[in-house]
Amino acid sequence: MDYHKISLGKIAKQLETPDGYIRLSGPLEHDNIVNGDGLRAVIWTQSCPIHCMGCQNPETWDFKYGQEFDEHTEEFIIKSLKSDYITGLTLLGGDPFEPENAFDLIGFLKKIKALYPHKTIWCYTGYVFENLITNPLYKQMLQLIDVLVDGKFEQEFYQVGLKFKGSTNQRIIDVKKSLEQKEIILKYT
């Protein structure tokens, strides 16, 4: 079943946007050290219905805000990843797993994996792995991700100095090992 052709048109009509694009919330980064191992390229997606209390990026909630992810954006990220000192790509938001993002991110992530198989892909989401894995579209996206930081930000579990996450309820999951072993395998606790 081709989820892109079936569902994206409905989503785009609902949002009054053209078919087939992701919206970005801000400038692309190619030198980020706080959202994954090493020096990373980063994409900030738009759209998040979770609206975590204390979210550091509430401007990313509205899908209609931001700028279009176009061929120039894609080219910039691909060129950024070419450098040996860039260890990979991180997807942030908003939420990359929102349908209006996930459809097109899958195709983009396939390109990245084909061009740079040694680079890691990290993704932050307010959803949890156990729910994502049950959806065929999201499972397809998970198969392209190396590390998933899952769970919504919970203000009451916030701690200064947490490695790669904002609150203690969030998990840093080794996606490849978790899919292989059919259980959650944490990369960091």
Side-chain angles (χ1 to χ4, degrees):
M1 182 178 263
D2 188 343
Y3 289 92
H4 186 278
K5 290 181 181 169
I6 291 170
S7 301
L8 188 56
K10 290 179 187 175
I11 292 167
K13 187 175 179 186
Q14 248 181 331
L15 297 169
E16 298 175 2
T17 61
D19 287 354
Y21 72 91
I22 304 162
R23 294 204 61 81
L24 303 175
S25 67
L28 300 169
E29 299 177 44
H30 61 276
D31 58 359
N32 185 294
I33 60 169
V34 297
N35 295 300
D37 287 327
L39 197 59
R40 310 189 66 75
V42 171
I43 296 175
W44 294 85
T45 61
Q46 277 298 134
S47 188
C48 184
I50 299 172
H51 299 183
C52 299
M53 178 72 82
C55 175
Q56 70 173 355
N57 305 307
E59 66 278 1
T60 65
W61 295 350
D62 184 357
F63 182 71
K64 294 179 184 177
Y65 183 76
Q67 62 193 28
E68 183 177 340
F69 181 99
D70 59 17
E71 62 275 354
H72 302 291
T73 308
E74 186 172 304
E75 185 178 314
F76 177 85
I77 293 295
I78 288 170
K79 283 182 180 177
S80 296
L81 289 166
K82 189 174 185 176
S83 300
D84 289 338
Y85 61 86
I86 300 295
T87 56
L89 174 68
T90 299
L91 308 171
L92 298 157
D95 201 302
F97 278 95
E98 282 306 299
E100 55 271 296
N101 294 322
F103 289 114
D104 292 317
L105 279 173
I106 289 169
F108 177 65
L109 294 178
K110 285 179 181 178
K111 282 184 191 176
I112 297 300
K113 284 293 188 184
L115 289 169
Y116 306 111
H118 60 285
K119 306 274 183 175
T120 60
I121 296 175
W122 282 54
C123 182
Y124 285 72
T125 181
Y127 300 105
V128 293
F129 182 88
E130 293 87 346
N131 292 339
L132 293 171
I133 199 72
T134 64
N135 178 301
L137 174 70
Y138 301 148
K139 184 174 182 177
Q140 187 178 359
M141 191 163 146
L142 282 169
Q143 291 168 336
L144 299 165
I145 294 169
D146 299 290
V147 178
L148 182 74
V149 181
D150 81 338
K152 63 186 222 174
F153 172 76
E154 298 280 355
Q155 186 72 49
E156 62 269 22
F157 299 118
Y158 169 75
Q159 287 183 10
V160 175
L162 291 174
K163 187 173 188 171
F164 303 129
K165 60 184 181 177
S167 55
T168 58
N169 63 295
Q170 295 173 309
R171 302 175 297 181
I172 303 171
I173 298 170
D174 184 318
V175 177
K176 301 296 181 206
K177 287 181 181 176
S178 297
L179 291 172
E180 288 169 9
Q181 297 180 28
K182 298 184 183 348
E183 66 177 316
I184 302 289
I185 306 296
L186 298 179
K187 181 168 179 70
Y188 300 110
T189 53

